[in-house]
Amino acid sequence: MKLRRLAATLLAAIFVTAGLQATGIAPASAAPRVLYYDASQAQEFVAAVNQGAQIWNSRATNVRLEQVPAGRTPNIRVYADNGWPRTYTSSLGNGYWYMGREAVNDGYYVPRIAAHEFGHILGLPDRRTGLCADLMSGSSAPVSCTNANPNSTEVAQVNANFRTAAKVPAQTYVWAGAPAA
Ligand SMILES: [Zn+2]
């Protein structure tokens, strides 16, 4: 009786071990690149910044935006001021951006601005198509536009950027007005 129970226990242990090994050899999907962002200086826009990050996280598969843990240098810093929203990239996935009250006070949808500015950090340029369906159309879409989601082309471009670690030149993007030359 005792022996049989021991045998059963051993057999169970073998199955567990085999199961773990099977998991170990399962083809792992490539982990997304994690970018840490610091929204602690985004003032009244912290929630909107987090929302913008979540929008990308729910769509892009090759990159993930996470709040920076204590003691770690962020890839992205987010600020707020009274100017236009704008982004300063240094390389793909790195830079800083401003939530600007000039656009917020004009009535532009804040989560759309946040997702748009993160889009620049993820390697997307402005495409002023005037279409609300395009996230990167930015201020060229009507002020009433409340679409904060990237379209499938924009998501595909971001995934491609991080799959190939695309080289993106340092650049400044401004929500409205003439882009900084
Ligand atoms: Zn822009």
Side-chain angles (χ1 to χ4, degrees):
M1 207 52 195
K2 242 180 180 170
L3 261 179
R4 202 178 290 174
R5 204 173 299 159
L6 182 64
T9 306
L10 279 174
L11 207 61
I14 289 166
F15 278 128
V16 168
T17 308
L20 284 177
Q21 281 168 349
T23 306
I25 57 166
S29 60
R33 177 152 164 230
V34 173
L35 301 175
Y36 294 110
Y37 69 92
D38 180 358
S40 65
Q41 296 172 86
Q43 302 180 46
E44 71 269 38
F45 302 111
V46 171
V49 172
N50 290 333
Q51 192 180 342
Q54 284 313 310
I55 284 167
W56 279 108
N57 288 344
S58 66
R59 283 160 183 81
T61 50
N62 289 346
V63 63
R64 223 183 134 69
L65 295 162
E66 291 184 4
Q67 293 182 36
V68 66
R72 199 172 173 128
T73 304
N75 301 88
I76 305 150
R77 286 187 169 85
V78 184
Y79 304 100
D81 71 3
N82 293 331
W84 289 112
R86 60 205 184 276
T87 297
Y88 304 85
T89 65
S90 50
S91 62
L92 181 66
N94 294 291
Y96 57 100
W97 63 267
Y98 282 79
M99 178 58 76
R101 295 187 190 87
E102 186 132 23
V104 175
N105 294 342
D106 277 356
Y108 285 104
Y109 188 55
V110 174
R112 174 173 164 84
I113 298 172
H116 174 100
E117 302 305 329
F118 269 128
H120 287 313
I121 298 282
L122 302 179
L124 298 180
D126 282 310
R127 296 206 192 284
R128 300 187 195 278
T129 59
L131 301 175
C132 183
D134 298 344
L135 180 62
M136 299 316 290
S137 65
S139 65
S140 72
V143 173
S144 60
C145 173
T146 56
N147 169 42
N149 298 318
N151 65 35
S152 57
T153 305
E154 291 166 332
V155 172
Q157 182 64 59
V158 164
N159 280 330
N161 287 348
F162 284 89
R163 185 167 51 242
T164 61
K167 292 273 180 283
V168 173
Q171 192 140 356
T172 300
Y173 300 96
V174 182
W175 180 257

